[in-house]
């Protein structure tokens, strides 16, 4: 396809608020990642489990599907150690509590994090049938989700866990109206409380994730795991031109705290992952953010309020 037409289509899709690819276009993240639980954490996954939540707008009443790209662990996209021997299970939850249970809003798979009603599940090992292919969960009925009055949406949860093996599973999601193609739901969105992802290998590619700052947020503690000292992690916002935060080495967490400015409330921050070292290949990283109460912030696939742009200093023009 002509590159300009392609860019134009992407722009239209972004403008309309169609964000069903997870990761989304603006995040520029090639894959989500989850390792088998026998893997060493220095390969980049701290807890071998990743939860995402999908939001269906309340005025959408048709069946929908959650599609997974490359759900198996095998083939060129995934990360091999020895032989491929990893089994990952995907589980889709709906019903009361799938999101509102406090354990579901945590960053580690502890306690009742598999809250809600299990609607669908499937385990994958290395399987050429699903290598570089989509697997489709559903159909689901929006009313099978948990209704949130706060958001005006039905919420569903999908958890991917590496239940055995030591390899890395790379995959993506798509929230679709079709079981055979990727067709977005208008105003759908997705979020996570902890983001585990793979970086591009090209140092020109900058990855982004977008935590949302709710009313009442005074400070945020940002933690990143196994960044391998690979360049910088920079925070941009409507009030911040670019603040570098502490970065982690291999198999370690780094932690940094920022005071939130008034202008940043009810906007998203843009965390930019700027790669510097082309020798660091297949870099996997885990990130979470907590507010002053210790509650984990949500990273949205479509940043709430849009991608933040630094508004600059307000110019003061004296009156003569
Ligand atoms: Ca292996
Ligand atoms: Ca995979
Ligand atoms: Ca890493």
């Amino acid at each position: 396809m002509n590159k300009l037409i392609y860019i134009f289509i992407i722009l239209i899709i972004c403008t309309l608020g169609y964000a069903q690819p997870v990761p989304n276009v603006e995040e520029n993240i090639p894959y989500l990642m989850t390792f088998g639980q026998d893997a060493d954490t220095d390969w980049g996954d701290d807890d071998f489990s990743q939860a995402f939540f999908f939001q269906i707008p309340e005025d959408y009443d048709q069946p929908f599907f959650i599609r997974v790209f490359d759900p198996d662990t095998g083939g060129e996209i995934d990360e091999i150690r020895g032989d491929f021997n990893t089994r990952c299970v995907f589980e889709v939850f709906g019903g009361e509590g799938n999101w509102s249970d406090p354990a579901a809003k945590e960053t580690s798979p502890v306690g009742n994090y598999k809250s809600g009603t299990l609607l669908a599940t499937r385990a994958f090992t290395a399987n050429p049938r699903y290598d570089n292919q989509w697997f489709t969960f559903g159909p689901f009925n929006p009313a099978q989700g948990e209704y949130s009055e706060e958001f005006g949406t039905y919420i569903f949860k999908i958890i991917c866990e590496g239940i055995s093996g030591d390899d890395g599973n790379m995959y993506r999601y798509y929230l679709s109206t079709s079981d055979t193609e990727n067709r977005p739901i208008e105003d759908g969105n997705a979020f996570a409380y902890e983001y585990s992802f793979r970086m591009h290998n090209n140092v020109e590619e900058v990855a982004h994730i977008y935590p949302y700052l709710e009313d009442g947020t005074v400070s945020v503690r940002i933690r990143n795991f196994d960044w391998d000292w690979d360049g910088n992690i920079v925070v941009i916002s409507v009030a911040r031109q670019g603040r570098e935060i502490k970065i982690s080495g291999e198999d370690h967490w780094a932690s940094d705290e920022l005071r939130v400015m008034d202008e940043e409330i009810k906007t998203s921050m843009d965390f930019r992952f700027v790669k510097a070292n082309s020798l660091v290949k297949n870099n996997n990283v885990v990130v979470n953010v907590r507010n002053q109460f210790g509650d984990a912030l949500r990273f949205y696939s479509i940043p709430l309020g849009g991608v933040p742009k630094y508004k600059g200093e307000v110019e003061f023009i004296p009156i003569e």
Side-chain angles (χ1 to χ4, degrees), residues 110-162:
V110 174
N112 191 32
Y113 69 105
K114 292 189 177 179
S115 56
T117 310
L118 184 63
L119 302 177
T121 180
R122 174 110 180 188
F124 296 89
T125 53
N127 186 342
R129 190 172 158 203
Y130 297 113
D131 189 40
N132 258 309
Q133 303 291 331
W134 291 91
F135 176 82
T136 303
F137 286 106
F140 303 110
N141 178 341
Q144 288 176 286
E146 176 174 23
Y147 182 69
S148 161
E149 223 164 274
E150 182 187 351
F151 304 141
T153 64
Y154 289 94
I155 303 179
F156 292 77
K157 171 171 65 188
I158 185 164
I159 297 178
C160 172
E161 281 188 336

Side-chain angles (χ1 to χ4, degrees), residues 31-32 69-74 77-79 90 130-132 168-172:
Y31 299 104
L32 305 176
F69 180 74
D70 201 81
D72 82 316
T73 308
I77 294 172
D78 298 303
E79 199 156 346
F90 291 84
Y130 297 113
D131 189 40
N132 258 309
N169 190 6
M170 306 295 139
Y171 56 95
R172 290 197 291 263

Side-chain angles (χ1 to χ4, degrees), residues 42-44 225-228 283-285:
D42 63 6
W43 285 53
F225 179 75
D226 198 56
W227 172 245
D228 300 309
N283 197 359
N284 302 306
V285 60

